[in-house]
Amino acid sequence: MLFRSRIAVFDFDNKTEYKHLGKQIAEMACVAIPDLKDLELMERGVMSAALSQNGINIDNVVDSGQGLEAAKHLELDRFVVGDVGMLGDVYSLNIKLVNPETGAVVRAVGLEFEDLVGIRKTVRGLLSKLLSYGTI
């Protein structure tokens, strides 16, 4: 049987004026991950229900510093977090793959861009780069 790494994507920290951009980028990441082989993406609704049973709110898991605790409850092999920000007229997107046992960042990728046109393609490209380096 082929081993599939169990992975989840938490909402990205949003440091822009667009209220829901962090959540939207996390959703874009969730759409991109199933295209990558050997990964089992945990569905966000299932994740939310499982975490709420343990008193953890999925909507602020990263902000509250409960990412590692949440990942352990969900029995994840890795999880994805990130942030989107803006400095002047330039956006920055950073995505990290984290080991829930140690809290160590396994890999990180980032990119700067001038507008939100093509953000879905940008997210897909960064995730492919982040997750395609051999075994995660």
Side-chain angles (χ1 to χ4, degrees), residues 29-132:
C30 288
V31 170
I33 287 176
D35 291 343
L36 302 171
K37 62 182 180 177
D38 302 332
L39 298 176
E40 176 185 323
L41 176 65
M42 187 152 204
E43 198 276 325
R44 292 176 62 84
V46 172
M47 215 168 51
S48 180
L51 291 176
S52 67
Q53 290 177 349
N54 292 291
I56 299 172
N57 181 347
I58 193 172
D59 290 331
N60 65 355
V61 74
V62 175
D63 292 340
S64 66
Q66 294 181 306
L68 291 178
E69 182 182 351
K72 288 176 184 175
H73 283 297
L74 298 171
E75 299 177 359
L76 299 175
D77 296 306
R78 300 285 187 264
F79 65 94
V80 175
V81 293
D83 63 77
V84 59
M86 193 167 196
L87 183 60
D89 292 338
V90 178
Y91 291 91
S92 66
L93 177 61
N94 302 296
I95 304 175
K96 299 173 191 165
L97 183 65
V98 179
N99 179 330
E101 290 182 22
T102 65
V105 174
V106 177
R107 280 188 210 98
V109 293
L111 185 68
E112 293 179 348
F113 48 97
E114 293 185 12
D115 59 42
L116 293 176
V117 175
I119 186 72
R120 185 176 306 276
K121 188 175 181 180
T122 300
V123 169
R124 182 178 295 274
L126 286 177
L127 273 170
S128 180
K129 184 176 179 181
L130 182 77
L131 299 173
S132 65

